[in-house]
Amino acid sequence: MAYEPFEIDGVQILKGTHIQYNIIGIHHNPLQYYEPESFIPEWFDPTSKYYVKPDGDPWNSLSIVPFSCGWWSCPG
């Protein structure tokens, strides 16, 4: 829930608005992952070619949110 009003890409979000995000869309983004529909554990291996985005840039650490808080979140 939004605790204060803010804006995302020109869209005003009011205080008290419940906010959800599309985890499936985030985890299947072809701009972030090679073969986003496949299970490739090497995405998380810094020595692998899959560790970067298909364009060669580092991928965004928030492009994986299995526990709702990004790369370093603790499932416990």
Side-chain angles (χ1 to χ4, degrees):
M1 180 176 5
Y3 294 111
E4 58 186 54
F6 64 97
E7 181 179 318
I8 298 176
D9 288 335
V11 177
Q12 294 293 321
I13 307 297
L14 302 175
K15 179 179 179 177
T17 301
H18 290 272
I19 302 168
Q20 294 181 332
Y21 53 92
N22 182 349
I23 292 176
I24 292 175
I26 292 170
H27 291 172
H28 291 85
N29 183 348
L31 299 176
Q32 289 291 323
Y33 299 106
Y34 289 93
E35 303 174 38
E37 301 297 322
S38 300
F39 175 66
I40 304 174
E42 291 81 10
W43 283 332
F44 310 103
D45 176 1
T47 64
S48 168
K49 74 172 190 170
Y50 295 106
Y51 192 69
V52 296
K53 297 188 306 185
D55 67 5
D57 289 338
W59 49 274
N60 184 328
S61 64
L62 294 177
S63 66
I64 181 152
V65 287
F67 305 109
S68 301
C69 295
W71 177 271
W72 301 112
S73 177
C74 175

